[in-house]
Amino acid sequence: MLSKENAADVFDRIRRMSAADEVEVIFNSSRFALTRFANNIIHQNVEEENSVVSIRTNFGGRSARATTNQFDDESLRRAVAASESLAKVQANDPDLLPMPTAQEAGGDTRAVKIPARFFEQTASVTPGSRADVVKRMAMVADRHALTTAGIYSISSSGEAIFNSRGLAKWHDQTSAEISITMLGADSSGWQKFNSPDVGNLNPQHLAETAAEKAAQSAHPRELAPGKYTVILEPAAVLDIVGVIFYDFSGVALLDQRSFLNGRVGTKLFGENINISDDVMHPLQSGSPFDGEGMQRQRLQLVENGVIKQIAFARATAKKVLASEFARKVGPVIPTGHGFALPNEVGEMPMNIVFESPENANARGEIQSIDQMISSTERGVYVTRLWYIREVDPYEKITTGMTRDGTFLVENGKIESGIRNFRFNESVISMLSNVESMGVPVRASGEESFDMVVPAMKVNDFNFTEVTKF
Amino acid sequence: MKATAKIALDAASMREVTYADARAVYTKARALTTKNGLVSHASESESLGIAVRVIVDGAWGFAATAELDSAAIRTTAHRAIEIAKASARVKKENVRLASEPPAVAEWTSPYDVDPFSTSVENNLELLLQVDAEIRSNAGVTLAETGMNFQREESWFLSSEGADIHQTKFTTGAGYTAHAFAGSEIQKRSYPNSFGGQWQNCGYELLDEMKLVENARRIGDEAVALHHADQCPEGPRTIILDGSQLGLQIHESIGHPIELDRVLGMEANFAGTSFLTLEKLSKLRYGSELVNVVADARQEHGPGLGTFAYDDEGVAAQSTPIISKGRFSGYLSSRETAHTIGATRSGGTSRAEGWNRLPMIRMTNVSILPGDQPLTLEQLIASTDDGIYMETNKSWSIDDKRYNFQFGCEIAWEIKHGKRTRMLKNPSYSGITTEFWNSMDAICSRDEWVLWGTPNCGKGQPQQVVGTGHGASPARFRNVKVGTAYKGS
């Protein structure tokens, strides 16, 4: 893998090769391993090592990018030439800003440094130890007469950005992840967890929980579609709410493709909904700088249901301030959420943290999933959602399916497994109908990025069809 | 790079290794986009690396690297062996590969104009011309255009003697007009959503697409949708345009016929399939008019699933999937072929790039056109009461591929054989086999287009590859329409 020193050396070489007014280089270097299992055996087992250098050159108001994963002089020269020739043929863009200086990009201005996200014990996991973990999870499946499928992955990565105005930033990270499905004859259960520290993974617990769900949802009943009270596990919450965060973007507002156009400052969700974006949160992951090297700032996206703040890349903030939206979208400052330039979408918050409202516990609004179930007369308990797609971009109606552990709750107890439902539900309505929620945890799904989210009990969730299993 | 692949293969050829292959891949790509009259993205990229795949003790190991010096390649080959030994600790049976005569071959996908030989200035000029046409209607609030080229060159060597060098060009382009007004965002895309039309061919695709000629209409339609009536709810006759039918095939035929899904190998992520093994040659999948093939051969057309050899070195084939409505075939690989009693792989293993494991992927899964001459206008003229829907907007299907729901960008009501009022927010839903059994007409060859789906995701780590889907417009009876907005 590329070291910080190697990256600095490569940046110097690239800088000397380029005749551009400004040069920016982004490095991504990773070692990734994934052991995949199905039918209680390992059927795929892979490892890869790759480093990518991405070069942006600026000529006045013209900018373009070229990327390569080869670091010899010839390859780098070719990438520099490609970036320069792509930039030179463009018309001048008056909105393109000079690259940020180190001072403008900011360091860690907060008293608390970023939590440790690189763990040697994660980086050093071997194929043999991954196989041992999988074997123990397969034994859980055998013991319950179930079939298991899933993954155990390990990665270590380095991410850096340098520019010719003196900016140089580096971030190291590791990640360990297990996702496991247990399958019975007519049922299934699922669990997933990841952490920078492999020591936080509990494979046995994940396997046992998935197995319990598979057993409990056996012989599913068919329920009629309709509006139900639902209890959503954190992974199900993050997968459905994930669609809204692309719209907390200044460019999305300028483009008038955001559901927040005309709604910033209004109360859109329930009083109990508070959402921030905070890369420094101890349960979050990722680098503390954005695609231009700007320090990521904490944003209060939603406060007591009111849309408060939007993410702005540097150029977006300038454009919004000069636009009709300047006074309609909350505070307009560069927030450190921009994607690498040039790009079409600008920025978005990707370190989402749902927060418990003040005194929520005292009011009984913080509940465990068991408490949510015991307080439900009739409802549906959902483990996982799947294939979620946006149906209506402004009302944020989404469709998707339940999967891998869907249960009927009656009279405060799980009554039985049920056949999976299709939903068509507005996320705006959903977040206006949250009766109670759990303690926010780090969760990982399949349809959206990882977040810190709670389980939620939501009223009037709209199931429109039922499938055959 | 062949020499590099040979070093890898030699390094993997140890006594304990019963099978090995080495695959080196070089990819070059150009991506250009515009937005509201300005260039919004311009980039080029190159990626080069090599993967080694081995069977040791009856189990798989795979390792890949972008470091191409001899020492790094040997280390990678030895790492693949170490990984295979670890895999063997959690196995029940040895991997069984269907035999395949080792091919020695060179192949390049046909093209007239190498897209990388065209100037970026001309590429951008075309996109900006389209952009201006779209925005000639003041109601368009966002115009986005895009153009993508890719050249992929691969070298495949195996311990069985395969030596295959393939070069493939991919070209894609398209645009979208958005119109925001009141509390509604409407959009229209051309010639399809997902970035437009994509094929394995050269720049000549751009000339065929008539991008500029259609741009003004697309902008006008995006704005007109704001004044259209809401698509009604209830059972209706529907006609789908070829691009939407292509995605319907992708989701409700292409994925469920993947044999690895059927065997549970994708259960944790992509899911399984309702097409369990006992259904082969027995299940009535669709009406008599439904004939579907999975065809990777060049003669099927320049689809995103066209090649000469798959990434296991198996020659491209055409497999009947549905024959006169009867389910007749799966997509298979060397490892899975024996589970359906086949002696040879169907040749559908593909990898996203040098750093990914080949797995069963759709090739060109296409519905064959009708035998009798039938244009779209004739099909509409023969429909008394129905809804014609165009261009996908949303898509979702359960993890066994039974229950689906699709939204389209635009629709028109058909009354007494005439296309009448425009309808907004059209959607339809159903159960896969019930839907395909309701097909009672399909247009003929003149209306058949080999559509490209560039964004098919599968596997862990996820691999995104392109697939091809030939389709002509078709009619379906008694389909549930409008459920997406029910209760909203």
Side-chain angles (χ1 to χ4, degrees), chain B residues 121-187:
Chain B
E121 292 99 313
N122 288 347
N123 299 158
L124 291 174
E125 188 184 330
L126 173 60
L127 293 181
L128 289 169
Q129 194 183 348
V130 167
D131 177 288
E133 286 289 310
I134 296 169
R135 289 185 299 123
S136 59
N137 187 319
V140 172
T141 49
L142 174 64
E144 293 179 302
T145 76
M147 191 181 291
N148 290 270
F149 310 136
Q150 183 174 294
R151 176 176 181 270
E152 182 189 276
E153 193 171 359
S154 64
W155 296 261
F156 176 83
L157 301 179
S158 79
S159 57
E160 296 171 339
D163 179 352
I164 300 166
H165 177 211
Q166 299 188 91
T167 304
K168 197 165 63 179
F169 287 91
T170 301
T171 297
Y175 50 85
T176 300
H178 302 252
F180 172 63
S183 61
E184 200 170 287
I185 300 169
Q186 291 291 347
K187 69 171 181 176

Side-chain angles (χ1 to χ4, degrees), chain A residues 196-382:
Chain A
D197 184 357
V198 69
N200 289 334
L201 266 58
N202 187 340
Q204 191 78 14
H205 175 71
L206 294 169
E208 292 286 0
T209 305
E212 188 184 336
K213 282 175 177 287
Q216 214 170 3
S217 59
H219 316 304
R221 290 168 52 182
E222 182 170 325
L223 248 59
K227 291 198 172 186
Y228 286 85
T229 294
V230 292
I231 296 159
L232 303 169
E233 288 204 354
V237 172
L238 88 86
D239 271 339
I240 189 169
V241 300
V243 298
I244 69 173
F245 296 108
Y246 300 91
D247 290 13
F248 281 79
S249 146
V251 165
L253 290 164
L254 287 170
D255 288 346
Q256 299 184 81
R257 59 179 166 80
S258 169
F259 82 110
L260 298 176
N261 276 97
R263 286 168 165 167
V264 178
T266 66
K267 187 163 181 294
L268 203 54
F269 308 134
E271 188 81 24
N272 53 357
I273 300 301
N274 292 276
I275 309 171
S276 67
D277 179 89
D278 187 0
V279 74
M280 299 295 185
H281 191 283
L283 295 179
Q284 268 295 350
S285 64
S287 76
F289 50 87
D290 75 357
E292 284 187 279
M294 298 291 288
Q295 178 71 24
R296 294 186 189 279
Q297 307 295 316
R298 183 185 183 281
L299 297 180
Q300 189 68 47
L301 303 170
V302 180
E303 189 175 83
N304 299 333
V306 178
I307 307 300
K308 300 295 279 191
Q309 275 187 289
I310 301 294
F312 298 101
R314 292 166 70 231
T316 314
K318 184 184 164 198
K319 269 190 265 189
V320 169
L321 284 171
S323 76
E324 59 180 303
F325 298 102
R327 293 184 186 167
K328 303 174 184 171
V329 293
V332 183
I333 51 164
T335 60
H337 292 83
F339 293 113
L341 294 171
N343 72 72
E344 306 89 341
V345 291
E347 59 278 302
M348 75 177 277
M350 294 186 74
N351 294 100
I352 300 301
V353 178
F354 276 69
E355 298 155 334
S356 306
E358 213 172 319
N359 302 322
N361 208 16
R363 292 198 300 268
E365 290 175 2
I366 303 297
Q367 293 188 333
S368 67
I369 287 177
D370 284 346
Q371 287 172 316
M372 291 179 195
I373 291 170
S374 66
S375 63
T376 301
E377 195 175 325
R378 183 175 164 84
V380 174
Y381 171 34
V382 176

Side-chain angles (χ1 to χ4, degrees), chain A residues 47-48 132 342 465 467, chain B residues 41 79 89 251 356 398 429:
Chain A
E47 198 165 310
E48 68 163 282
D132 289 341
E465 290 181 4
T467 190
Chain B
H41 179 85
R79 189 68 166 165
R89 286 154 64 173
E251 301 292 359
R356 291 289 180 267
D398 70 45
S429 56

